[in-house]
Amino acid sequence: MKVSAKLDRRFADKQGRFPLKVAISQKGGTAYIPLGISLTSQQWDGARVVAHPQKGALNLTIEQRVFAFRQAATDYCLACRERGYTPTATEIRDAVAGDNEVPAAMLFATYERYLASRTPGNTLTSYTQTYRKVCAFVGPDDLPLDDIDVGWLEDFDDHLRKDGLSVNGRAVHHRNLRALLNYAIDHNLTSSYPYRRFRIPTQPTPHRDLSPEDFRRVATVQLPEHLAKWRDLFLLSFCLAGINLKDLSLLTDANIRGGRLRYLRSKTHHPFD
């Protein structure tokens, strides 16, 4: 994209002057915004006003207005690019002239972009499952992110309930959708955050922790070799502050330093010592 001042020599007034315009070039097209300044060909050298009694004031005005239009056009193009869209010169002209708005960020497009930014793993699988639930609820037609309000969330929650999901199962999908909206806000795709006024439903679950006696039985029970291996991995995970199997499988001798185990958790990149 290029924004510059240009003397439009296609049309001259009765005094032989041509209108000076801001030219916005993009994708092989050019659109113009009049500056309200008329000059003869001799008074414009292609970049600045010359041979004019008010050339100093005119050049300052032109520089300021071109700079303002260039900044507005750049901001508009960046906002469109974040939504996966490249505007034409005419669309940029209409936007910076105040006749248009940045295209609204759409739910499906934003969600697919969000999924592409995640690393493979269980979390990505969960986000993908939520996306399928959202698609089933919304239907084939996409909708702007700004249309997601408290009422929409309530309807989505009711859809999940009718689909047979438990309270906590619905909560998983709400948390994933909330993460998407936080991502959209961080990337200036929306300012809407309906979860501020929507309480994600949750239900306490019964404790499933082992008693000390049960734990001793697990640790000492005689098992076939192929089962004892998995029992021993469970005990090792417990003794290493609950390290998960993925992180455990990635450990090497280099993780043992000074008689301590040090590693970065693969999911959160949080250091453990």
Side-chain angles (χ1 to χ4, degrees):
M1 181 197 66
K2 181 180 179 181
V3 179
S4 60
K6 182 177 181 179
L7 196 64
D8 188 352
R9 293 183 170 87
R10 295 174 298 175
F11 309 101
D13 61 15
K14 294 181 180 180
Q15 287 77 37
R17 300 176 304 177
F18 301 95
L20 189 67
K21 300 179 179 180
V22 171
I24 301 175
S25 301
Q26 169 88 326
K27 295 177 66 175
T30 303
Y32 299 93
I33 303 174
L35 287 174
I37 298 172
S38 295
L39 302 167
T40 65
S41 294
Q42 292 73 28
Q43 293 172 332
W44 182 252
D45 69 355
R48 297 178 62 81
V49 178
V50 295
H52 190 287
Q54 297 178 331
K55 63 180 182 180
L58 287 174
N59 281 325
L60 180 60
T61 298
I62 293 166
E63 288 176 7
Q64 291 175 338
R65 298 196 64 187
V66 170
F67 176 82
F69 281 124
R70 183 180 294 118
Q71 187 65 46
T74 300
D75 291 344
Y76 177 77
C77 288
L78 288 175
C80 289
R81 188 179 303 168
E82 289 177 345
R83 291 157 173 78
Y85 176 70
T86 302
T88 64
T90 300
E91 289 170 331
I92 298 171
R93 188 262 327 266
D94 292 343
V96 301
D99 297 331
N100 199 4
E101 296 180 353
V102 176
M106 305 303 286
L107 174 60
F108 293 167
T110 303
Y111 211 133
E112 289 172 3
R113 175 181 167 184
Y114 179 58
L115 291 176
S117 71
R118 303 295 92 186
T119 55
N122 292 336
T123 302
L124 177 59
T125 300
S126 179
Y127 287 144
T128 303
Q129 292 170 346
T130 298
Y131 182 43
R132 291 175 183 149
K133 294 293 183 182
V134 169
C135 290
F137 171 64
V138 173
D141 297 326
D142 205 348
L143 80 156
L145 284 175
D146 290 342
D147 285 0
I148 300 178
D149 54 17
V150 174
W152 190 96
L153 293 178
E154 291 173 344
D155 291 341
F156 178 58
D157 186 68
D158 190 55
H159 167 79
L160 295 177
R161 181 183 58 80
K162 292 178 179 177
D163 203 30
L165 273 73
S166 66
V167 173
N168 291 335
R170 286 158 24 217
V172 171
H173 293 299
H174 278 293
R175 286 193 292 270
N176 290 344
L177 185 57
R178 183 178 63 187
L180 167 73
L181 293 177
N182 283 327
Y183 169 87
I185 291 172
D186 290 343
H187 288 77
N188 298 314
L189 302 179
T190 185
S191 59
S192 176
Y193 190 65
Y195 279 104
R196 185 180 295 109
R197 298 183 301 276
F198 179 87
R199 183 177 180 181
I200 296 178
T202 57
Q203 187 176 56
T205 57
H207 288 291
R208 294 187 288 269
D209 50 315
L210 294 175
S211 67
E213 293 76 17
D214 289 335
F215 194 87
R216 292 189 187 95
R217 282 196 289 270
V218 170
T220 58
V221 67
Q222 295 298 314
L223 294 172
E225 183 177 352
H226 70 285
L227 294 179
K229 176 180 67 174
W230 297 109
R231 186 268 312 279
D232 293 344
L233 285 173
F234 163 73
L235 294 175
L236 180 59
S237 172
F238 178 84
C239 293
L240 295 177
I243 185 174
N244 62 47
L245 287 178
K246 179 178 181 180
D247 291 327
L248 186 61
S249 66
L250 295 174
L251 295 178
T252 67
D253 291 342
N255 293 108
I256 302 175
R257 296 189 293 274
R260 297 183 64 85
L261 178 66
R262 296 180 171 90
Y263 69 97
L264 289 177
R265 188 178 179 194
S266 57
K267 179 179 178 180
T268 63
H269 301 289
H270 181 77
F272 281 83
D273 185 349

